[in-house]
């Protein structure tokens, strides 16, 4: 079974080590001691907590869509020429880049600092694992 140290769990959840320790102390997250006496968290427990605590901010302007991957964020950069634009969006810890027509940028009223939602509908999603530590 995969286990994670407190600092690794915190990094994966995007919170501080102290937050993970508080969750363990309050019983919101189970931890055990490894052979070296360090607190570790089972990967399955960490995954369940991640799903439980994940929440997509409400988007009252959103209509119905089959896309489930909606990432609200802030426009952080726009690079345009006469035909095409590259739009950067920061959605939490994630940087997303979209290529679209410059006409679409104008019609959407996109500018650096404006709110936007990246909607991802993909037929291919690649999953990688980290290299084994030696």
């Amino acid at each position: 079974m995969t286990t994670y140290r407190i600092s690794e769990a915190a990094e994966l959840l995007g919170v501080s080590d102290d937050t993970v320790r508080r969750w363990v102390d309050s019983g919101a997250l189970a931890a055990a001691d490894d052979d070296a006496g360090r607190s570790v968290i089972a990967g399955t427990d960490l995954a369940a907590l991640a799903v439980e605590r994940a929440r997509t901010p409400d988007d009252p302007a959103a209509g119905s869509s089959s896309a489930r991957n909606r990432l609200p964020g802030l426009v952080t950069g726009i690079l345009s020429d006469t035909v095409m634009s590259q739009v950067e969006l920061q959605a939490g810890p994630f940087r997303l880049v979209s290529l679209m027509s410059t006409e679409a940028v104008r019609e959407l009223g996109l500018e650096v600092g404006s709110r936007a939602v990246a909607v991802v509908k993909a037929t291919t999603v690649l999953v990688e694992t980290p290299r084994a530590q030696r």
Side-chain angles (χ1 to χ4, degrees), residues 59-73:
D59 182 5
S64 296
S65 174
S66 65
R68 297 293 179 250
N69 302 307
R70 299 179 54 81
L71 304 165

Side-chain angles (χ1 to χ4, degrees), residues 73-78 87-91 95-96 111-114:
L74 188 68
V75 175
T76 57
I78 300 174
V87 178
E88 288 186 27
L89 183 75
Q90 192 68 36
R95 176 182 169 262
L96 301 147
E111 58 185 24
V112 172
S114 64

Side-chain angles (χ1 to χ4, degrees), residues 105-130:
V105 169
R106 285 193 303 270
E107 287 177 0
L108 292 170
L110 296 178
E111 58 185 24
V112 172
S114 64
R115 291 174 145 237
V117 178
V119 180
V120 180
K121 180 74 174 184
T123 57
T124 303
V125 176
L126 304 178
V127 176
E128 296 180 346
T129 59

